[in-house]
Amino acid sequence: MILLTVTMGTYLLFTQFSVLLLQLIRKRTGIYYDRTKMLVYAQLGYKMKDNARVLFIVSILSAVILTASSAVYMLAVAGQYQEMKTQYDNVREVIALTMFIGLFLSLLFFIASGSMIYFKLFTELQEDREQFKALTRIGVTLEEIRKIVVPQVGVIFIAPCLIGIVHALVAMKALDNLLHLSNWLYSFVVIGVYMAMQTVYFVVACRGYMKSVLRGTAS
C-alpha cells in the first residue's frame, strides 16, 4: 500500500504538481515577467509536461537502484557477522559474489537511468531547433538561448535524481530499523557516486544539446 502510494504520488508530482508550480510562478510578475526568465519557464513547462512519464520512471528507477545498493551492503555486513560466527569459507565467497553482482547491476542501472533522459532529450532535438530558430528571428540572442537551455536541461536531469534520493533515504531508514544495522556512510557514498554520474551526464548532454541547437539556429 505504501509502495503504491509513493509511486502514485511521484507520478502526480511530475504530471500535475510541476505544472501547477510553474503556473504559480507565472502569477508572480516580479519573477516571471523578465525576458529570459519568461522563456525559461515557458520552455521548462513544456518540457516537464512532455517528459513527465520518463522523469517519473527515472525517479523510481533511481530510488530502486540506491535502495538496492544499500540493501546489498547491509546483507553483506550481516553475512560478515555470520561468517565471524561460523568461519565457513563458502560464506565469504557468497558475500563477495553478492557484493560484485549488486554493484555491477547498480552501475548498469545508473547508466540506464541517465541514458533514458539523454536519448529522450535528443529525440526532440529537431523540434527544439525550430523553436529556438523562431526565437532568434524575434531578437533572442545566442547568449539568451544558452540561459534557456542550461536550466531546462539541468532540471530534467536533476529533478528525478533528487526525488529518487528522497525515496531511497526513506527506504534506507526503514531497512535500518528492520535489520538493526546502520549503513548511512555507505549509502551517502552511493548517493554521491550517483549524483556525480548524473552531473557528468548533464554536462555532456548540455554541451552536445547546446552545440546542436546553435548549429540548427545558425543554418
Side-chain angles (χ1 to χ4, degrees):
M1 186 63 181
I2 296 177
L3 183 60
L4 179 61
T5 303
V6 170
T7 303
M8 290 299 298
T10 305
Y11 181 77
L12 292 174
L13 174 66
F14 287 109
T15 58
Q16 303 298 325
F17 182 74
S18 60
V19 177
L20 178 62
L21 179 61
L22 290 170
Q23 289 176 348
L24 292 175
I25 291 175
R26 290 174 185 175
K27 295 180 180 179
R28 302 290 297 273
T29 56
I31 299 176
Y32 184 72
Y33 286 102
D34 176 87
R35 177 185 171 95
T36 305
K37 290 181 179 178
M38 185 167 60
L39 293 172
V40 169
Y41 290 127
Q43 284 290 109
L44 189 57
Y46 167 76
K47 284 292 183 183
M48 291 295 289
K49 187 175 181 179
D50 189 54
N51 295 283
R53 292 183 180 180
V54 173
L55 299 180
F56 159 71
I57 293 172
V58 171
S59 65
I60 296 298
L61 184 61
S62 301
V64 171
I65 294 167
L66 295 171
T67 305
S69 299
S70 297
V72 168
Y73 174 77
M74 293 175 73
L75 291 174
V77 171
Q80 288 175 350
Y81 177 74
Q82 182 67 23
E83 180 192 1
M84 292 175 63
K85 295 173 63 177
T86 60
Q87 298 296 321
Y88 289 157
D89 291 336
N90 63 332
V91 174
R92 181 179 300 177
E93 293 176 0
V94 170
I95 294 171
L97 181 61
T98 303
M99 287 287 290
F100 173 77
I101 293 175
L103 293 175
F104 180 73
L105 291 177
S106 297
L107 180 61
L108 289 180
F109 281 112
F110 281 155
I111 296 173
S113 62
S115 298
M116 287 180 65
I117 302 176
Y118 182 88
F119 288 116
K120 177 62 176 176
L121 184 69
F122 278 86
T123 54
E124 302 171 346
L125 181 59
Q126 187 58 42
E127 182 180 350
D128 292 343
R129 278 178 176 174
E130 296 300 323
Q131 292 179 357
F132 285 116
K133 184 182 290 186
L135 290 175
T136 58
R137 289 172 182 168
I138 61 174
V140 176
T141 65
L142 296 181
E143 183 61 30
E144 287 174 328
I145 290 179
R146 287 190 178 91
K147 291 181 180 180
I148 296 171
V149 168
V150 173
Q152 173 183 303
V153 177
V155 169
I156 291 175
F157 268 90
I158 301 302
C161 182
L162 292 178
I163 298 300
I165 288 173
V166 171
H167 289 335
L169 289 174
V170 174
M172 290 171 192
K173 179 61 178 177
L175 283 173
D176 282 349
N177 296 334
L178 180 64
L179 300 178
H180 303 290
L181 292 172
S182 178
N183 68 323
W184 289 107
L185 178 60
Y186 178 82
S187 298
F188 284 118
V189 170
V190 173
I191 290 172
V193 171
Y194 181 56
M195 287 294 295
M197 292 182 66
Q198 288 296 99
T199 302
V200 171
Y201 260 119
F202 162 68
V203 172
V204 172
C206 193
R207 287 182 177 179
Y209 181 79
M210 193 71 230
K211 288 180 181 179
S212 299
V213 166
L214 294 180
R215 192 183 306 120
T217 54
S219 60

